[in-house]
Amino acid sequence: MITLALSKGRIFDETLPLLQEAGIRVLEDPETSRKLILPTDDPQVRVVLVRASDVPTYVQYGGADLGVTGLDTLIEHGSQGLVQPLDLRIARCRVSVAVRADYDYASAVRQGARLRVATKYVGIAREFFAAKGVHVDLIKLYGSMELAPLTGLADAIVDLVSTGNTLKANQLVEVERIMDISSRLVVNQAALKLKQPSIRRLIDAFARATAARPQA
Ligand code: PRP
């Protein structure tokens, strides 16, 4: 049995066509089913639904043989015990710095101000500002980072931006792009050895589907 860890939403939706390339169809819709383990039409493959930030943990410790996770999540988690054979080029977005439209970020940075930055991505933010030589106090949040500059909790946020609509709706502006993000296939090291043929078949099918996509 092969267990694939996915998170609901964009990653699940964009992984379905890749599974199809391998001839695998998931038999239940996570938006309507309450099940956490979803069968597929291949009796040897099942999907487990986990929170996005838990995907690397499940795969690292063998709760799943492989999984799909955003590069953001992977960087924050660390990649110990995980083989990363493929950039799937799905669920693309970026990690950016954003501030209130009326906040003069460039001057604050120029003047060497100590910025308060709220984020779920503490590791990425720490490294980015350290490389720029900007002093920051990082405030860890678990959701709705957009609220932090609006309430005075922070001067800036580091968050995922896709269309930019969430920032716009909250009068925030993107002032720096830190990195481009896409989802990665991660595989448990031991499973890759023990279940070599079936996992290889999936990796190859995912690679074919990914190669067929436009580069942009
Ligand atoms: C992300 C991110 C932003 C939003 C950006 O949240 O945290 O809030 O998407 O997308 P946009 O630029 O297209 O508006 P997501 O919906 O992934 O959920 P999260 O808050 O749990 O991270």
Side-chain angles (χ1 to χ4, degrees):
M1 173 66 80
I2 298 290
T3 302
L4 170 67
L6 296 177
S7 52
K8 273 207 249 186
R10 217 173 146 193
I11 287 184
F12 182 89
D13 297 344
E14 296 188 21
T15 301
L16 286 187
L18 304 180
L19 281 169
Q20 241 161 37
E21 176 69 26
I24 297 166
R25 231 164 31 90
V26 181
L27 296 177
E28 292 199 44
D29 177 0
E31 297 307 328
T32 51
S33 166
R34 304 287 300 175
K35 282 191 190 166
L36 297 172
I37 300 181
L38 307 180
T40 73
D41 61 356
D42 180 336
Q44 287 310 309
V45 179
R46 62 180 186 172
V47 169
V48 291
L49 291 176
V50 304
R51 202 182 158 140
S53 50
D54 289 338
V55 168
T57 308
Y58 267 81
V59 177
Q60 180 184 355
Y61 294 107
D65 300 303
L66 63 176
V68 177
T69 183
L71 178 61
D72 50 323
T73 307
L74 195 53
I75 291 176
E76 291 297 322
H77 175 86
S79 52
Q80 58 280 40
L82 299 173
V83 182
Q84 296 174 55
L86 278 180
D87 177 354
L88 297 172
R89 298 203 232 126
I90 59 170
R92 301 177 88 142
C93 55
R94 55 196 184 270
V95 179
S96 292
V97 182
V99 296
R100 271 166 58 151
D102 59 3
Y103 180 78
D104 192 347
Y105 175 78
S107 298
V109 167
R110 212 172 30 242
Q111 288 158 14
R114 193 173 182 94
L115 296 185
R116 275 197 303 170
V117 178
T119 187
K120 180 158 96 178
Y121 305 102
V122 172
I124 293 172
R126 183 180 297 116
E127 194 170 313
F128 174 73
F129 287 110
K132 280 174 71 77
V134 174
H135 296 289
V136 290
D137 291 317
L138 293 172
I139 302 171
K140 167 96 182 180
L141 288 180
Y142 294 88
S144 298
M145 277 152 268
E146 295 84 3
L147 202 52
L150 304 178
T151 53
L153 178 67
D155 302 309
I157 59 172
V158 167
D159 194 11
L160 295 182
V161 180
S162 176
T163 59
N165 290 340
T166 309
L167 292 182
K168 207 190 253 170
N170 292 290
Q171 286 88 47
L172 299 175
V173 290
E174 189 176 0
V175 285
E176 298 219 57
R177 192 178 176 126
I178 300 181
M179 64 173 71
D180 288 328
I181 298 295
S182 57
S183 291
R184 310 297 159 113
L185 186 64
V186 288
V187 184
N188 176 277
Q189 238 160 22
L192 186 57
K193 291 200 189 104
L194 295 170
K195 303 180 181 179
Q196 172 76 246
S198 6
I199 290 185
R200 198 25 77 191
R201 183 178 71 88
L202 268 181
I203 294 174
D204 290 346
F206 279 24
R208 275 197 308 277
T210 302
R213 282 164 180 270
Q215 288 282 338

